[in-house]
Amino acid sequence: MSHGPKTLYDKIWNDHVVCTQESGLDLIYVDRHLVHEVSSPQAFDGLRAAGRTVRRPDCTLATVDHNVPTAPRNKGTTDLRALVADPESRAQCAALEKNVKDFGLSYFGLQDKRQGIVHVIGPEQGFTLPGITCVCGDSHTSTHGAFGALAFGIGTSEVEHVLATQTILQKKSKNMRINVDGDLLEGVHSKDVILHIIGVISASGGNGCVIEYSGSVIRNLSMEARMSVCNMSIEAGSRAGMIAPDEVTFAYLKNRPLAPQGETWDRAVSYWRTLTSDKDAKFDIEVNIQASDIIPSVTWGTSPQDVVPITGKVPDPATFTNPDRRKAAERSLQYMGLVPGTPMEEIKVDNVFIGSCTNGRIEDLRSAANIVRGAGSDARVAPGVRAMVVPGSSLVKRQAEAEGLDAIFRQAGFEWREAGCSMCIGMNDDQLSAGKRCASTSNRNFEGRQGAGGRTHLMSPAMAAAAAIRGSLADARQFQYKPSKSTVELAEIPAEQVVADSYLSVAEEVAPSTVQPSSATPSEAQSKVFRVLQGIAAPMYIENMDTDMILPKQYLKTTVRTGLASGLFYNFRNDANTGAALDFILDRPPYNKAVIIVSTGKNFGCGSSREHAAWSLEDFGIRCIMAPSFGEIFRNNCLQNCMLPIELSVEQCHELARDAEAGVELVVDLEREEISRGEASPIRFTTDPFRRGCLLNGFDDIAATLRDVDAIAAFEQRRTATWPWLDGAAGGHSTGNKVGVKSSGKETMEW
Ligand SMILES: CC(C)[C@H](C(=O)O)[C@@H](O)C(=O)O
Ligand code: SF4
């Protein structure tokens, strides 16, 4: 640990190291664990199979968000059969309800007024606080970094690790700082700021880094706007994004139900004020952005880096100098059905989606409603366009209704829905049909993201509202609504109202789940070994191969880890309209027997944290992936499943892809860290010593960490003494149950 000047990230990291391994990896204590229904069932089954408990129910909070219908809910029932019609979605919700009961966790169920997208409810309740470490089996956990927290997404195996040990093994990332200085032009919002940043640094620009956002523009943002910026850090490839806490942060948190109160509040705030990067702190990478360069932005392609100002045109891939990028752009334009040179404002839309963990907060809804009002009292959603507004949480919905925003939307022809992830991912009924084009406030424009064959343009809530009225992508600045003096400013949710609400927990009342625990135990998965692998390699040439491409969302609705091979690269293998087979490389001999993938494109496995992507590759028979770089969560997910991700130079990947094209069998020797390829000279690679040891010897991470249980317990004692407000926030075994959900959490630690 260095004693020189430190960044905010260095400080939070140092404060959370339980112990350091010989390999250099740190065991990091987790202060807050958020859980949702998609990435957790296999983790709980793993705990059950190994006879383990949840170490800190008081620091764990669960909700349902991805699968939930957003059509009006029958308020009179807690029976999941009446609330979630789709059997697979219901099975995941039911599994979570059973798990929170079995393991004594606090839970905001479907009929709870606090239910919502996991990244909206954490901050809303004050569960998210400055200075903490926060994880969730979800890539957009980076959102919580807006509070000056170290928050990042993890895979399901890591969720199991955190549930069992309240820690996670991590390698420290590099420090990156992005300064945004100057004054934003009128009509430019935080979504434009982050889209512009990703356009500048690219979807892999933050690989291996934690980004701190700073500068006058960031300082002047509200908490909600800061959350939108940090939320999309993952779209820039970074591990996490963060913003130093300040008066704006403290004002947002004060009196939130789970935030510290009274004297503890004062003590917490004085600690939080120390959470800034020291003046001379060293950043490995620094990027400076001028606010005046940022114009309201939209995406044109299928990567969040494909950004242009709304006043711009669809770019011509022929002008791209990097051949991989050119290829990706050509593919994107074909998928998006766009012609180079088309002015963005001439692109017609079929759907509009306002919501998601990026832009489903009250301020986002106000901003969209302002545009609708600005368009005049007779403004309507353009004919033929379906526009929906989906609040990020049930409390956001109630607040918006109290302010009359729902009436503004409804009157103009928008659908006003219940809270959930909705058309951001389309795991419920809210899906974009093949060939349809959507103006969306979400964060991912990946192929098939909102529905197979659907086309997504990312933008701010103001721009999405403008698109709904105009029927095409539109510059929201032409709609700008200036509240007149007589307009009542839209009220904040009174804190007392949030605190005093009587909440219903359905966890106690649902019918018992029919979900059976998986037969595959974690130790089974982890007891596999990787030493030498020989076989066919399949070449792939796509940059930013995201995990939605590897395994689309319809395959996430499982509660087990197996049987996913049929979904692997589904949209590459099957035509979205006709379902006809597309002759994808993995369906052609000899590649239908491939055990290795060689990707020449960087950032393989970026995007969502779904471990299902790794499970589907494994299920197909893939044991090793070679690429110039990887999405970090995906890399960890591979390692957790005894698959070897190997990072090589772009040139080496091209060389190996040529071998793969020629049908040369590759031999990967992990002990020697070497790839042999017929007569040609072998290629060396390096791996982290701890991870190599795990793969070679097949040992179980959780059992290994539990050997450090004394160090974990000692850390917890120090934590209680130093930051007492972190214990007991979500109920459970520690200092009380603030959430108001009966907990059966055990008082003692059992190992
Ligand atoms: C389902 C979940 C694992 C996933 C994520 O990690 O991001 C989802 O939220 C998404 O946005 O794709
Ligand atoms: S990105 Fe979309 S699907 Fe993922 S958590 Fe956010 S709202 Fe839900």
Side-chain angles (χ1 to χ4, degrees), residues 677-717:
R677 42 199 197 108
E679 303 294 292
S681 50
I683 289 179
R684 310 266 320 155
F685 64 90
T686 51
T687 43
D688 167 79
F690 173 76
R691 296 292 174 203
R692 185 162 71 248
C694 289
L695 293 177
L696 288 171
N697 304 310
F699 78 62
D700 168 0
D701 269 24
I702 301 181
T705 298
L706 290 178
R707 286 198 277 277
D708 286 322
V709 69
D710 291 344
I712 299 174
F715 181 93
E716 283 170 333
Q717 272 186 4

Side-chain angles (χ1 to χ4, degrees), residues 37-108:
E37 81 279 13
V38 181
S39 54
S40 66
Q42 298 85 349
F44 284 110
D45 280 350
L47 286 189
R48 223 175 248 123
R52 291 170 178 145
T53 56
V54 174
R55 184 173 178 89
R56 295 301 299 254
D58 64 320
C59 298
T60 310
L61 181 59
T63 194
V64 274
D65 49 8
H66 287 69
N67 279 283
V68 303
T70 60
R73 281 172 202 157
N74 178 346
K75 300 285 177 212
T77 179
T78 53
D79 181 354
L80 272 184
R81 276 164 305 208
L83 292 166
V84 187
D86 176 66
E88 285 180 304
S89 290
R90 189 167 64 241
Q92 277 197 333
C93 297
L96 183 59
E97 302 216 333
K98 172 166 169 51
N99 288 328
V100 297
K101 271 198 277 184
D102 287 359
F103 291 92
L105 305 182
S106 296
Y107 170 62
F108 299 164

Side-chain angles (χ1 to χ4, degrees), residues 38 66 137-139 425 444 449 608-610:
V38 181
H66 287 69
D138 197 285
S139 54
I425 188 167
R444 289 182 171 147
R449 169 70 183 184
S608 148
S609 69
R610 56 189 74 173

Side-chain angles (χ1 to χ4, degrees), residues 35 48 289 425 449 457 734:
V35 173
R48 223 175 248 123
I289 298 214
I425 188 167
R449 169 70 183 184
H457 294 270
S734 226

